[in-house]
Amino acid sequence: MRKTILLTGALVAAATGRTLAQSPATDPTYNEDAPFVRNIRPDRPGQTVTTSMLRPGQFQVELGTQRQLPATGSARTLSSGLLRVGFFNHMELRLTQGYLHAGPPLLGADVSRPAFGLAPLTVGAKWLASTHQDARSQVVFLTELTLPKTGDQTMHLAKPLASARALVSQQIGQRFGVETNLGFSQSGFRAADTKQGQFLYTLALNGPLTGKFGFFTEAYGFGRQSFTHGGTLGLNWRPLPGLRLDVSAGRSVTGQRGTVLSGGLSVRLPH
């Protein structure tokens, strides 16, 4: 009788342990088939940078164009490219560069044409702070440095621009995800430069709609003593697992007011 009870208890414990091992709380791999993880998640088109990180040997190219329509002044077009490469030890390396298209000539013989051309080059890296990659809750750090004397001469920076962000995501069910960024950037590395630095926050919701279509929406703010607040809404289409096309529209409602229209594509290999 005692052996029967012990054997029954052992079987129950084994079954319970097996169930717990496969439960979301203890199994970090169960989440790999969730659309929030499986679908390509680029770091565009809004202000929010995702917690999505590439595996070692993967690379991702993100290309986009923005039409900036400020409340005052002339409209400008900015194209940008981002190369992401998966590295070892849960790290991702990044290169970003933009191109500011020539604006319309201004009236007046003494007025120079606005600067245009290749923007300064930005190098950066994502670092996984969570225990497991692609978990339901994830924390990632992003560090970036925009280099002076890169890009066209008219676009050169006087000082390097350093920035850091904490990226946090929480999956909702198996389809949707909430992501938030908290960041700070400053020009130069002196203590006095910190007093001129800019803060950034974002809060975004994204996920699939139907079939291969998805959506993205966010609210953001940046500044220091006075902030620019705005929002972005976008749609995306994934004809292939490693390919995504998107369109979006954003508007800032305080501070540097204006509207931004954008479109682009992202490719990840291998997917």
Side-chain angles (χ1 to χ4, degrees):
M1 181 67 178
R2 183 177 181 183
K3 291 183 178 180
T4 303
I5 295 175
L6 291 175
L7 180 59
T8 303
L11 291 174
V12 172
T16 305
R18 182 181 177 85
T19 302
L20 289 174
Q22 294 177 343
S23 69
T26 58
D27 185 4
T29 64
Y30 92 100
N31 202 40
E32 289 182 353
D33 290 333
F36 185 70
V37 173
R38 185 179 67 250
N39 294 340
I40 179 173
R41 287 160 56 210
D43 291 341
R44 60 172 317 281
Q47 301 285 340
T48 303
V49 175
T50 72
T51 60
S52 174
M53 293 184 63
L54 303 182
R55 302 285 181 174
Q58 286 186 318
F59 71 91
Q60 187 164 308
V61 177
E62 303 176 12
L63 304 174
T65 298
Q66 289 186 344
R67 183 64 172 172
Q68 301 173 344
L69 306 168
T72 59
S74 302
R76 301 299 303 270
T77 300
L78 173 66
S79 299
S80 61
L82 168 62
L83 172 63
R84 300 168 53 185
V85 179
F87 204 65
F88 298 98
N89 297 322
H90 299 294
M91 183 170 67
E92 176 185 296
L93 305 180
R94 304 156 59 87
L95 289 174
T96 308
Q97 192 160 33
Y99 182 85
L100 185 61
H101 297 260
L106 300 178
L107 299 178
D110 298 332
V111 179
S112 59
R113 192 168 188 170
F116 64 93
L118 278 176
L121 178 67
T122 300
V123 298
K126 276 184 177 178
W127 315 79
L128 181 65
S130 301
T131 305
H132 301 288
Q133 190 168 339
D134 293 332
R136 292 182 63 86
S137 301
Q138 190 158 301
V139 179
V140 173
F141 291 110
L142 170 67
T143 55
E144 290 185 307
L145 183 65
T146 303
L147 306 175
K149 297 184 179 180
T150 57
D152 286 350
Q153 187 173 1
T154 56
M155 306 284 285
H156 281 180
L157 296 177
K159 300 177 183 179
L161 178 63
S163 65
R165 296 193 192 194
L167 321 175
V168 182
S169 66
Q170 175 61 54
Q171 187 174 321
I172 304 174
Q174 290 291 95
R175 295 172 57 83
F176 305 103
V178 174
E179 302 197 75
T180 185
N181 290 182
L182 295 174
F184 181 78
S185 62
Q186 68 178 59
S187 179
F189 297 109
R190 300 179 305 172
D193 297 327
T194 305
K195 299 179 180 180
Q196 304 299 322
Q198 300 286 303
F199 295 94
L200 167 78
Y201 77 86
T202 74
L203 179 63
L205 173 67
N206 59 70
L209 285 174
T210 178
K212 298 180 179 180
F213 289 90
F215 77 96
F216 164 85
T217 183
E218 73 171 355
Y220 64 84
F222 61 85
R224 190 176 181 89
Q225 296 177 343
S226 61
F227 276 72
T228 295
H229 300 279
T232 308
L233 178 64
L235 298 173
N236 58 74
W237 175 50
R238 302 175 307 279
L240 297 171
L243 174 64
R244 192 180 98 161
L245 294 88
D246 58 65
V247 294
S248 69
R251 184 170 181 80
S252 53
V253 294
T254 64
Q256 304 172 19
R257 300 191 180 192
T259 301
V260 175
L261 305 176
S262 71
L265 64 89
S266 304
V267 179
R268 181 179 65 200
L269 293 172
H271 60 78

